[in-house]
Amino acid sequence: MMNESSEKLNNQAVTLAAQGNYDEAIACLKRAITVEKTNYLLWFNLGLTYRDRGDFEDAQLALERAFQINDENEEVIESLALVCFEQKNFQEALYYAAIGMDINPDNSHLWNILGVIYFNLQDYEFASEAFEHALMLNPYYEEVLYNLRDTYDELNNRIGKEECENRLKQIQKAKK
C-alpha cells in the first residue's frame, strides 16, 4: 500500500474540486483527515468542497470543526458566516461575523458579509453602515458598492445611490 500523506491528498482534493469532481475530492479529504485529524486546513477544504457541491449542512459541520481547531483564521470564519447565511441562519451568520471582526476589525469582507446579512433582515440602516465601513477600508471593493447602492435604493437615498453608481463607473473606466 502506498504511503499517502495528508498534504498530497489535500492537493489532489483541491485539484479534483476545481474540476467539479466533488465526490472524489471529498473522499480524498476524508482519507487525509484519517491521517491528520487536527489539521484545520483539511477540514476547511472539506467544508468548501461540500459548499461548492451545494451541501451546506455538511459544509457547516466541517467548517465548525476547522474553527474548533483554529478559531482565529479569518477565511474559516468568513466561510462559516457565509454558509450559515446561505442556510438563512442569520443569527449564526451574525455570530461568526462578530467573532471575525473581534479578530480583525479591518476585514472588509466581513463588513460586507455583515451588511448582506442586515440587508436580508431588511435592516437597511445597519446594512448601509456595514457597507460604508467596508468601503472605508477598501474604496475599490466593487461588490460592496453594488450592495451599498441597492441599500441606498431601499432607503430612498438617491444621492448616495448616485454616488455609488458614479464610483462604479470610475472603477470600470480605470480597468479599461
Side-chain angles (χ1 to χ4, degrees):
M1 187 174 155
M2 187 179 109
N3 186 7
E4 293 180 310
S5 77
S6 59
E7 186 180 355
K8 279 184 186 169
L9 287 165
N10 181 57
N11 292 340
Q12 186 180 355
V14 169
T15 301
L16 287 164
Q19 297 166 347
N21 298 320
Y22 301 122
D23 293 340
E24 295 92 334
I26 288 165
C28 278
L29 288 163
K30 285 182 172 180
R31 247 190 350 263
I33 287 168
T34 64
V35 175
E36 201 176 347
K37 288 176 182 55
T38 58
N39 183 331
Y40 89 92
L41 185 61
L42 298 174
W43 288 101
F44 175 64
N45 286 337
L46 181 62
L48 295 183
T49 306
Y50 277 129
R51 178 203 68 196
D52 293 348
R53 189 175 79 175
D55 185 348
F56 295 107
E57 282 182 34
D58 283 337
Q60 184 173 346
L61 292 172
L63 290 167
E64 283 172 348
R65 187 72 185 100
F67 178 70
Q68 288 168 355
I69 297 167
N70 183 350
D71 65 359
E72 293 199 1
N73 184 287
E74 292 175 50
E75 283 184 89
V76 170
I77 295 167
E78 285 176 31
S79 298
L80 252 174
L82 287 170
V83 163
C84 291
F85 172 80
E86 287 292 330
Q87 298 175 87
K88 308 251 185 284
N89 295 336
F90 297 133
Q91 294 310 312
E92 267 187 284
L94 285 171
Y95 168 76
Y96 286 115
I99 288 174
M101 281 187 269
D102 281 346
I103 293 167
N104 180 4
D106 294 334
N107 182 324
S108 60
H109 293 280
L110 282 168
W111 282 102
N112 183 48
I113 292 168
L114 189 65
V116 169
I117 296 166
Y118 281 126
F119 186 92
N120 280 270
L121 291 170
Q122 297 181 335
D123 189 335
Y124 302 118
E125 288 294 334
F126 273 146
S128 69
E129 286 178 28
F131 293 137
E132 288 164 0
H133 197 91
L135 273 182
M136 183 187 73
L137 295 168
N138 180 357
Y140 303 102
Y141 196 161
E142 287 180 84
E143 184 182 336
V144 174
L145 281 165
Y146 285 111
N147 292 338
L148 184 57
R149 178 197 63 191
D150 295 347
T151 306
Y152 283 156
D153 196 33
E154 291 292 335
L155 292 168
N156 293 314
N157 178 344
R158 289 194 240 340
I159 295 168
K161 181 181 175 183
E162 200 174 297
E163 173 67 22
C164 289
E165 287 171 349
N166 289 336
R167 286 181 65 187
L168 284 163
K169 287 175 190 167
Q170 290 171 341
I171 291 170
Q172 293 302 318
K173 200 184 287 186
K175 285 183 174 180
K176 293 179 181 176

